[in-house]
Amino acid sequence: MGGDRSSALEDPPAVHYDDEELPARKLTGRVGLGVSIVAFLVAVLVLWQVFRPLAKGSQYYLIVFLAGTLPLVFLAYRSRLSKRGGDRPTVPDWLLTGVALVACLYPLAPVRGGYDGFLNRQGLLEPVDVLFGALLLVVVVEACRRTTGLALPIVCLAFLAYGYYGGLLPQDWPIAHAGLDFAQIIDALYNSASGFYGTPLDVAASYIVLFTIYGAVLDLSGASRFFVDLSVAAFRKSRSAAGRTAVAAGFLLGTVSGSGTATTVSVGAVTWPMLRRAGYPAEQAGGMLAAAGVGAILSPPTLGAAAFIVAEYLEVSYLTVLGWAMIPTLLYYLGILLAVEIDVRRFRVRGLVVDAASPWRLLARFGYHFSSLILIVVLLALDVSATRAVVYATLVAFLLSFLDRQARLTPQRLFLALSAGVRGVLPVVAVCAAAGIITATTTKTGLGAQLASLLVSGAQAVTSNPTAVLALTVVLAAVALAILGLAVPVTASFIIGWVIIGPALIVLGVPEPAAAMFVFYYSVLSEVTPPTALAAVGASAITGGRTVPTMWQALKYALPAFLVPIAFVLTSSGSFLLARGSVLEVVWATGVAVLAVAGLAVATGGYVLGIGPANTPSRVLAAVAGLLLLYLEPTTIAIGVATLAAAVLLAAVNRHRSGPTPAEPSVSPTQAAAPGLSTEAPSSTASARGDDPPAEPAGGEPTRPAPPPAPSPSTESAP
């Protein structure tokens, strides 16, 4: 952040809010400065809109917002159509920038009645309206391709083709429709509330951009450094210190990041030296880092972008969605921590003595960084709107930054933060605008209801039992969402899943909140699902491990996250895991889910904590117990508890027969430098001997290190 003052002003580092993007350019010179200024002005507009909304309504604001952000995509992201080009925009980039600006602003042009005249022509667009709408369609698809790759644009084009050619399908087919001509398609996209300016873009422009700005301000105020330091200090004397630190740091950074890959890379850059010194294999450590990082998209109070869309679609407050996410998030991290503890024993991980400041001293000196996070929740509880709550929290984070001389937000750094916040939302804007193609086509043709009916009918063709139909539909939906998540970003995956799979679950009696959170979690889990697990790709780049084995390790750590959402929808009691019920109902359901997660940890880890290794029969029994316990009905719970007890008993008997486990080798505690004091990796010789030189003891005021390295562009791209 420091150093060259001019370069900082020219091209602020984008804050990754969600894993929607491919590598961006590093803009310099006048172009970089111009992009930063435009991004800063958009940030000012966004903040102004919270307190003084534009007089002509929400769609007018969305048009202005898109005009300020979409053109920046073509300057900030490469076309990647040829090997030529670098960080300087090319002539085609400038042409697309101009086309995007004109096509976005055309509805506001003072011709043909201006903005009101444009709205009045809805359903009866003139040829020039269709022309500019078509141009906007082209640049939106191209912006989406530049930021996310080919998969989502191909999906969008498939929906467009269905809208245009669907009338040619045999009319006795369930998905056939009357057909739309080109002008009708453009009208639905360009001049309606379900197209480009629909709910997805509204969420990006009203909520997500504010949280990216908040995240940038909090990061530049030193919060990220503090969270990592605190994680290190909290577990410095534990035998599981390295693993616990990685998981805790991932959770704390995730509360403000909202990005799985960025959190993985940031935490990994700091904690990988510790993990390596402790004896973790590269792939094992990478899987742990990826799973902990993906938790950022699940961690309140800044969940992934799709969570805001959940709130809008279900017309509930964002605080309500946060409440639904609390217990699943705790279960997710519990599963990772149990896996960490098991790995410590299975892999004979060496203990580390981390020389770090006292956690209480860190909290006393820098604990104020939690204030803005707490403030968001308190304000939401007081019925303050989410937009105002995050603006007030941003203001508090800005003011508190002056308590740390190294991180105070001077005018230059404030400009940097606001610009970076808007830069970070550009890929989400492209995805949300492109998602309008999907939602508009689905709305105009009725495709969502037809596909939902096909999904249910397919399950009913196998069995007529209502419980079995629901279970089979849920399994098919989970597989479909997992496959969809491999191809498209999280936000788009949720939107497509909600309009197609959501209705199928609701028809079968699943409550809307449970159906929405089921789709949300399976959309997020693509981040750890081979072969396109971006978080695992980022982790392997840090650890140097093989990419695909790292993905499988991440999948192992995140296994409970794949199974717990199924519990939401299989039984009526599943809603208790979303904190929807009485206190007693929520408590007993959570307790049963904890046992289920423990059983799954034994099954995947092959070890029972406090007893020893679990043989194959024990692991199979533990897996069966975990599945039974997630079906929250009295009979299956009783059988599940008995099965889990049998698995534990079998492991104990097996250990008794095989005798005590060999004593662990006596290894001198490795003196690891705490992240923030030194993150230099030891030499291979020193690491093998476990005799790294001791770190300088922390004395006086807790040391404030340089921030962890920003994610490398190469780590954000798909394998």
Side-chain angles (χ1 to χ4, degrees), residues 257-623:
S257 167
S259 166
T261 305
T263 302
T264 297
V265 174
S266 297
V267 172
V270 176
T271 60
W272 165 233
M274 292 178 61
L275 295 169
R276 178 171 56 186
R277 293 173 186 180
Y280 280 92
E283 290 81 9
Q284 196 80 20
M288 180 198 306
L289 291 169
V294 166
I297 315 179
L298 308 174
S299 300
T302 54
L303 302 173
F308 297 95
I309 300 178
V310 171
E312 286 295 304
Y313 279 167
L314 270 58
E315 298 181 346
V316 298
S317 70
Y318 183 60
L319 180 63
T320 300
V321 178
L322 292 184
W324 295 342
M326 287 298 296
I327 295 173
T329 299
L330 294 176
L331 293 174
Y332 178 77
Y333 278 102
L334 172 65
I336 298 176
L337 285 172
L338 288 175
V340 166
E341 297 298 326
I342 287 173
D343 286 348
V344 165
R345 291 153 179 81
R346 282 188 65 203
F347 295 105
R348 317 283 279 256
V349 171
R350 294 190 294 269
L352 295 180
V353 177
V354 179
D355 206 349
S358 162
W360 301 111
R361 291 175 59 198
L362 278 172
L363 280 171
R365 176 65 182 86
F366 301 111
Y368 59 81
H369 286 300
F370 286 112
S371 302
S372 59
L373 291 169
I374 297 171
L375 180 64
I376 290 177
V377 178
V378 170
L379 291 177
L380 290 174
L382 294 176
D383 208 24
V384 176
S385 68
T387 53
R388 293 199 174 200
V390 71
V391 172
Y392 293 143
T394 303
L395 179 60
V396 168
F398 163 72
L399 295 175
L400 291 177
S401 72
F402 289 92
L403 296 177
D404 184 357
R405 249 182 303 183
Q406 299 179 35
R408 61 183 55 176
L409 289 176
T410 61
Q412 172 190 331
R413 287 168 59 80
L414 182 61
F415 172 87
L416 189 83
L418 294 178
S419 299
V422 173
R423 279 284 304 274
V425 85
L426 293 182
V428 182
V429 169
V431 168
C432 289
I437 299 171
I438 298 166
T439 55
T441 303
T442 303
T443 301
K444 293 287 286 187
T445 62
L447 177 64
Q450 297 296 340
L451 289 179
S453 176
L454 284 175
L455 184 63
V456 175
S457 299
Q460 290 174 337
V462 177
T463 176
S464 60
N465 182 281
T467 302
V469 168
L470 175 59
L472 186 56
T473 302
V474 168
V475 171
L476 292 174
V479 172
L481 286 167
I483 295 174
L484 180 64
L486 299 180
V488 300
V490 171
T491 304
S493 179
F494 172 79
I495 293 169
I496 298 170
W498 178 245
V499 299
I500 295 174
I501 293 172
L505 297 176
I506 293 170
V507 164
L508 293 175
V510 176
E512 282 193 350
M517 296 305 285
F518 172 84
V519 175
F520 170 71
Y521 278 99
Y522 270 93
S523 300
V524 168
L525 292 173
S526 63
E527 294 298 314
V528 291
T529 305
T532 58
L534 289 183
V537 174
S540 63
I542 293 293
T543 65
R546 293 167 297 163
T547 301
V548 173
T550 299
M551 291 180 181
W552 288 114
Q553 291 297 329
L555 193 62
K556 181 199 79 171
Y557 279 102
L559 180 64
F562 283 87
L563 298 177
V564 169
I566 294 179
F568 300 165
V569 295
L570 280 182
T571 66
S572 58
S573 301
S575 291
F576 300 156
L577 295 179
L578 301 176
R580 299 181 68 245
S582 67
V583 173
L584 182 60
E585 290 169 332
V586 170
V587 168
W588 76 253
T590 302
V592 172
V594 166
L595 288 178
V597 170
L600 295 173
V602 171
T604 57
Y607 196 97
V608 180
L609 294 175
I611 294 179
N615 56 14
T616 300
S618 293
R619 297 176 73 170
V620 171
L621 286 173

Side-chain angles (χ1 to χ4, degrees), residues 148-170:
T148 68
L150 280 171
L152 183 55
I154 290 173
V155 172
C156 291
L157 292 176
F159 272 83
L160 286 172
Y162 170 74
Y164 189 76
Y165 293 108
L168 302 179
L169 296 173

Side-chain angles (χ1 to χ4, degrees), residues 17 43 46-50 61 203-216 308 386-391 394 421 425:
Y17 185 77
V46 169
L47 294 171
W48 179 270
Q49 174 72 9
V50 173
Y61 164 66
V203 168
S206 302
Y207 298 97
I208 298 173
V209 66
L210 290 172
F211 275 87
T212 61
I213 291 171
Y214 168 64
F308 297 95
T387 53
R388 293 199 174 200
V390 71
V391 172
T394 303
V425 85

Side-chain angles (χ1 to χ4, degrees), residues 3-221:
D4 186 351
R5 183 183 181 90
S6 62
S7 68
L9 285 172
E10 287 167 348
D11 189 27
V15 172
H16 302 265
Y17 185 77
D18 209 342
D19 299 306
E20 310 282 1
E21 72 181 280
L22 292 174
R25 286 181 169 122
K26 174 65 178 177
L27 298 173
T28 58
R30 281 185 276 184
V31 175
L33 180 60
V35 168
S36 295
I37 291 173
V38 173
F40 173 78
L41 293 175
V42 171
V44 173
L45 169 67
V46 169
L47 294 171
W48 179 270
Q49 174 72 9
V50 173
F51 298 98
R52 294 288 186 272
L54 299 183
K56 293 197 174 181
S58 174
Q59 186 166 327
Y60 187 92
Y61 164 66
L62 293 180
I63 291 173
V64 176
F65 177 82
L66 191 63
T69 52
L70 188 63
L72 297 183
V73 172
F74 301 103
L75 300 178
Y77 290 85
R78 304 174 186 86
S79 69
R80 295 177 289 112
L81 292 176
S82 68
K83 295 181 180 179
R84 298 176 57 190
D87 288 335
R88 294 181 63 85
T90 62
V91 172
D93 294 333
W94 285 107
L95 288 176
L96 287 170
T97 299
V99 170
L101 182 63
V102 172
C104 287
L105 291 179
Y106 168 77
L108 309 184
V111 294
R112 296 181 178 84
Y115 176 62
D116 292 334
F118 177 77
L119 293 182
N120 290 335
R121 294 194 296 275
Q122 184 174 7
L124 298 169
L125 294 186
E126 297 178 0
V128 67
D129 300 330
V130 176
L131 171 63
F132 282 103
L135 290 175
L136 184 57
L137 171 61
V138 170
V139 294
V140 164
V141 172
E142 169 60 10
C144 187
R145 185 195 67 81
R146 289 188 179 215
T147 55
T148 68
L150 280 171
L152 183 55
I154 290 173
V155 172
C156 291
L157 292 176
F159 272 83
L160 286 172
Y162 170 74
Y164 189 76
Y165 293 108
L168 302 179
L169 296 173
Q171 291 302 299
D172 57 342
W173 286 19
I175 61 172
H177 61 89
L180 303 172
D181 62 31
F182 189 69
Q184 288 176 307
I185 292 174
I186 295 300
D187 179 75
L189 296 175
Y190 198 36
N191 200 357
S192 78
S194 63
F196 297 135
Y197 306 112
T199 298
L201 183 63
D202 190 16
V203 168
S206 302
Y207 298 97
I208 298 173
V209 66
L210 290 172
F211 275 87
T212 61
I213 291 171
Y214 168 64
V217 169
L218 201 60
D219 180 56
L220 287 181
S221 69

